[in-house]
Amino acid sequence: MTAPPISARAYSDHCHSTVPFGTVHLDYDARFLRRKVLQLDDGRPLLVDLPKTTSLGHGFALLLETGEEVHVFAAPEPLLEVTGDNLARIAWHIGNRHTPCQIEGDRLLIQRDHVIRDMLAKIGAATREITEPFTPEGGAYGHGRTHSHAH
């Protein structure tokens, strides 16, 4: 018989402990959760049961009932690296489609999408397939994700 999963019912937007109870690497979509059994990096099960659906960022901590922490990290995932002469214009077009985007000084990162890739080529952007952790910008009206125009 397997042991029941460890339980986390809260989170923090940053890690406090230097030696965590455990760690978990999740891609962008998997970091959006409310109730789910996750597998820690060492294989132990962790039941996450948060009061509401939450977007966990890279460097967040899940808080165990014991007061210990599980550190959350962004896992590498398939992305498109976007570059071009006018990144501000390119970023506007990506944002206009409500596509999550990681903004860096000389490039933008988005999840792979052939439709967005075609649109970007039409406006002069260059794209390259890469695999890296994805930590896109949060919503302009607070932390987390935006899903509609109803801000």
Side-chain angles (χ1 to χ4, degrees):
M1 187 164 144
T2 59
I6 304 150
S7 182
R9 298 192 190 281
Y11 71 95
S12 172
D13 63 0
H14 61 282
C15 300
H16 296 95
S17 67
T18 56
V19 180
F21 176 83
T23 59
V24 63
H25 284 74
L26 303 169
D27 69 18
Y28 178 68
D29 291 332
R31 292 192 318 267
F32 190 63
L33 56 99
R34 192 197 80 67
R35 182 175 168 80
K36 185 176 184 179
V37 175
L38 302 175
Q39 186 172 354
L40 297 180
D41 293 338
D42 65 10
R44 292 177 291 172
L46 171 69
L47 171 62
V48 177
D49 187 11
L50 302 175
K52 63 181 182 174
T53 303
T54 303
S55 179
L56 299 174
H58 174 80
F60 276 36
L62 292 165
L63 306 176
L64 306 182
E65 294 169 341
T66 61
E68 296 171 290
E69 296 180 351
V70 171
H71 293 181
V72 177
F73 299 105
E77 60 185 286
L79 302 173
L80 284 178
E81 177 185 68
V82 182
T83 57
D85 291 335
N86 191 341
L87 275 184
R89 179 174 177 261
I90 294 166
W92 184 90
H93 282 282
I94 290 170
N96 192 44
R97 281 145 187 90
H98 293 267
T99 300
C101 183
Q102 182 174 328
I103 301 169
E104 298 180 358
D106 59 349
R107 69 181 188 162
L108 307 171
L109 300 179
I110 61 171
Q111 292 171 310
R112 290 186 192 168
D113 180 312
H114 70 279
V115 173
I116 299 295
R117 180 196 313 237
D118 291 346
M119 180 271 305
L120 291 169
K122 289 177 183 170
I123 62 170
T127 59
R128 180 174 68 104
E129 290 186 357
I130 62 170
T131 301
E132 290 184 19
F134 186 48
T135 56
E137 292 292 316
Y141 296 90
H143 297 291
R145 304 172 192 214
T146 58
H147 295 282
S148 70
H149 285 283
H151 302 296

